[in-house]
Amino acid sequence: MAVLEVRNLKKSFDSTEVIHDISFSMDEGETVTIIGSSGSGKTTLLRCLNFLETPDAGVIKVRDDVLFDSSIPESRSEEAIRKKRLHFGLVFQSFNLFPQYTALENITLAPTLLAREDKSIDATLIENRAKELLSDMGLSDRMGNYPHELSGGQQQRVAIARALAMNPDILCFDEPTSALDPELTGEVLRVIRGLAKQHTTMIIVTHEMSFAKDVSDKIIFMDKGIIAEEGSPEEVIDNPKNERTVQFLANYKKVN
């Protein structure tokens, strides 16, 4: 079953079109990895899906719920967009934890605020859920620590737990290891591999090619705001057909 459908998505900043007519879909429990050079539109696509940017045109649909349709003006309202963000969880490159809150408080904050608006949510379960998530991340002994008391890898794992606490339909990662040194990168990649084995529906933007090949059900290669190639890891990484994909992977191998 398709959990996400994106059709003809476009986004411009001033006169520069960053996303050109993007269309793709993904199934429940699938991991889709987006690769491509810096400036190819990967992060902008994620930000549009999470409604941190409003697309200029196109359709975004989660299951049977149309979250955005540029032909429907009401889908652009701030109130509508706030609700639509709940379908997606986003883990940022630079963690973006609140420095004044502990690891546990960082995770419980958003669900607690949501529970105040939605009385159907059992607020008494929020802290227990947060503790379970921290335990799953190997951080049961760090619940009372503030972000500055945690390593970069630990902070990123708290950020992953925070995103999961909102029970999103789709969990998105924007270069989740770019701010980490190689040793800490391994910590975070192990967590994401574990989520993939649990069939968590995920979209991952990454430059870690070996990781992308290992964890992905589907890989999308973006170039200059379009999807230049799409397919299984074996098709895109081992046997690319688009010349631009071939060049990108060859340059990656040279650097690494």
Side-chain angles (χ1 to χ4, degrees):
M1 173 185 176
V3 66
L4 174 66
E5 292 181 45
V6 177
R7 296 199 302 270
N8 308 116
L9 206 68
K10 297 180 181 180
K11 178 63 181 178
S12 296
F13 295 102
D14 297 323
S15 60
T16 303
E17 192 172 30
V18 180
I19 297 293
H20 307 274
D21 206 30
I22 292 283
S23 297
F24 72 96
S25 64
M26 63 185 298
D27 293 333
E28 191 88 41
E30 194 171 39
T31 297
V32 172
T33 298
I34 304 175
I35 62 173
S37 302
S38 296
S40 60
K42 307 183 301 297
T43 293
T44 299
L45 174 58
L46 275 194
R47 290 179 66 84
C48 285
L49 293 177
N50 284 269
F51 296 97
L52 297 175
E53 303 286 352
T54 303
D56 298 322
V59 175
I60 300 172
K61 182 178 177 183
V62 173
R63 297 192 176 91
D64 294 324
D65 190 3
V66 177
L67 304 189
F68 179 82
D69 186 334
S70 54
S71 67
I72 304 173
E74 293 78 10
S75 70
R76 295 175 178 270
S77 73
E78 181 58 33
E79 182 180 356
I81 285 173
R82 278 180 61 220
K83 293 179 181 177
K84 292 163 185 175
R85 286 188 182 126
L86 298 177
H87 289 277
F88 297 89
L90 179 58
V91 180
F92 297 89
Q93 297 181 31
S94 54
F95 325 137
N96 285 17
L97 299 178
F98 295 107
Q100 70 272 36
Y101 296 129
T102 65
L104 184 64
E105 290 167 341
N106 262 281
I107 297 169
T108 59
L109 179 62
T112 298
L113 293 174
L114 184 62
R116 291 176 186 172
E117 297 180 10
D118 185 348
K119 301 305 179 184
S120 67
I121 297 174
D122 189 345
T124 62
L125 300 179
I126 291 174
E127 185 170 322
N128 288 338
R129 168 68 172 156
K131 289 179 177 178
E132 288 175 5
L133 287 168
L134 281 172
S135 179
D136 291 344
M137 297 294 139
L139 296 171
S140 56
D141 60 339
R142 298 288 185 173
M143 295 184 188
N145 288 84
Y146 291 89
H148 74 273
E149 298 174 317
L150 303 173
S151 70
Q154 290 169 338
Q155 290 184 60
Q156 192 62 296
R157 283 183 278 156
V158 173
I160 295 170
R162 180 177 61 180
L164 289 169
M166 297 300 288
N167 299 310
D169 293 291
I170 302 162
L171 185 59
C172 302
F173 294 87
D174 184 15
E175 294 287 358
T177 61
S178 65
L180 304 176
D181 64 38
E183 185 175 359
L184 299 180
T185 291
E187 293 179 14
V188 173
L189 295 184
R190 279 192 294 273
V191 169
I192 299 174
R193 282 191 178 95
L195 292 172
K197 288 179 180 177
Q198 296 169 23
H199 302 291
T200 304
T201 308
M202 296 187 289
I203 301 174
I204 305 169
V205 169
T206 185
H207 283 109
E208 302 276 350
M209 291 302 109
S210 59
F211 169 70
K213 183 178 177 180
D214 177 49
V215 80
S216 306
D217 297 295
K218 183 194 302 182
I219 291 181
I220 290 172
F221 171 68
M222 288 186 64
D223 182 50
K224 297 179 180 177
I226 67 167
I227 293 178
E229 191 158 356
E230 177 180 356
S232 68
E234 291 75 18
E235 290 169 330
V236 176
I237 292 182
D238 292 339
N239 300 289
K241 295 179 175 57
N242 184 286
E243 182 58 34
R244 184 66 189 91
T245 315
V246 173
Q247 293 172 358
F248 170 79
L249 292 171
N251 289 334
Y252 172 82
K253 290 175 182 176
K254 287 178 185 177
V255 172
N256 291 273

